[in-house]
Amino acid sequence: RKEVEQDPGPFNVPEGATVAFNCTYSNSASQSFFWYRQDCRKEPKLLMSVYSSGNEDGRFTAQLNRASQYISLLIRDSKLSDSATYLCVVNKGGTASKLTFGTGTRLQVTL
Amino acid sequence: DAGVIQSPRHEVTEMGQEVTLRCKPISGHNSLFWYRQTMMRGLELLIYFNNNVPIDDSGMPEDRFSAKMPNASFSTLKIQPSEPRDSAVYFCASSLTGGQQPQHFGDGTRLSIL
């Protein structure tokens, strides 16, 4: 079983739609969770951290379910500029600095 | 503020040649990570340093790969001799120490071994 699993997509959605991605992780000791965004031929960039109580940043909402070991990202009112690959990222456990990156979910927002 | 700086941005060389990739982390960050990204395998951690000391090099593919961090502001990843299967994008990232700290990536080096 992969340490971090994501649906690779692609998710093709029209502008203005709401889209959600899920990610599951295998290490129950993991304590840090992030969503990164990667544009084609660019570096991964931090989109948001994921906190236990869930958190929101504008149109983006992240949720964590420790019992089921999954993380979600919800994007409301999708924009063309949201088109990218979204990487689910989990630390190795405890305070470990090592992060494990999922292979990403590709989102394509269309007119 | 300057982000993570990598050089070169692109490298094309023939197999058997030595390749050296360079990275300058964000000032004040004391953890540095080298990753490799390919379509087939995604983003893989090769090695990481904490306070200039290699902590985990279990991701380094084989002895042809080596990494150093002589000081807090500079690291190198060397491949000698290079092989076509080493072709990939190599990213350097840095962070403050601790698993709750996000990592910030450089622009990457796109390496092609002919």
Side-chain angles (χ1 to χ4, degrees):
Chain A
R1 183 184 172 188
K2 287 184 181 177
E3 292 182 70
V4 178
E5 292 204 62
Q6 296 182 251
D7 181 342
F11 284 58
N12 294 299
V13 303
E15 254 193 319
T18 295
V19 62
F21 309 135
N22 287 334
C23 159
T24 58
Y25 62 95
S26 61
N27 187 348
S28 60
S30 295
Q31 292 190 12
S32 301
F33 310 92
F34 308 94
W35 283 102
Y36 277 69
R37 169 195 169 128
Q38 187 171 25
D39 293 283
C40 188
R41 301 178 75 85
K42 296 284 191 178
E43 77 278 17
K45 290 185 179 177
L46 177 68
L47 179 66
M48 58 196 303
S49 301
V50 185
Y51 302 119
S52 297
S53 54
N55 48 298
E56 191 174 302
D57 183 0
R59 298 181 293 108
F60 299 84
T61 301
Q63 296 278 353
L64 169 63
N65 184 320
R66 285 189 187 274
S68 301
Q69 294 181 209
Y70 82 78
I71 308 156
S72 65
L73 177 68
L74 182 79
I75 305 175
R76 289 182 300 278
D77 188 22
S78 300
K79 312 288 184 194
L80 291 174
S81 57
D82 294 334
S83 298
T85 297
Y86 291 83
L87 305 171
C88 174
V89 184
V90 176
N91 85 320
K92 283 285 188 179
T95 57
S97 295
K98 280 177 71 169
L99 299 180
T100 301
F101 286 74
T103 51
T105 297
R106 190 163 157 241
L107 171 66
Q108 184 67 50
V109 181
T110 56
L111 287 170
Chain B
D1 287 343
V4 176
I5 299 172
Q6 290 187 246
S7 65
R9 292 291 304 276
H10 303 273
E11 174 93 13
V12 180
T13 191
E14 293 184 347
M15 65 177 292
Q17 298 297 307
E18 179 179 291
V19 173
T20 300
L21 310 181
R22 297 172 177 79
C23 175
K24 177 179 168 54
I26 292 172
S27 178
H29 282 188
N30 44 15
S31 292
L32 183 140
F33 307 81
W34 282 103
Y35 291 89
R36 176 171 70 177
Q37 187 173 38
T38 61
M39 288 292 292
M40 293 295 293
R41 301 168 73 104
L43 198 60
E44 303 174 280
L45 177 66
L46 300 177
I47 184 171
Y48 86 92
F49 295 83
N50 194 39
N51 293 323
N52 313 339
V53 176
I55 301 300
D56 186 341
D57 64 355
S58 59
M60 295 285 262
E62 46 199 274
D63 292 346
R64 297 184 298 105
F65 285 68
S66 62
K68 293 182 180 179
M69 191 164 186
N71 58 62
S73 58
F74 184 66
S75 177
T76 59
L77 178 68
K78 191 171 290 189
I79 309 173
Q80 167 63 21
S82 57
E83 296 182 5
R85 61 193 167 117
D86 301 331
S87 299
V89 181
Y90 290 80
F91 288 107
C92 176
S94 72
S95 75
L96 296 169
T97 298
Q100 292 169 356
Q101 302 298 330
Q103 296 173 14
H104 300 269
F105 284 73
D107 292 338
T109 294
R110 192 168 295 273
L111 177 64
S112 295
I113 308 297
L114 306 176

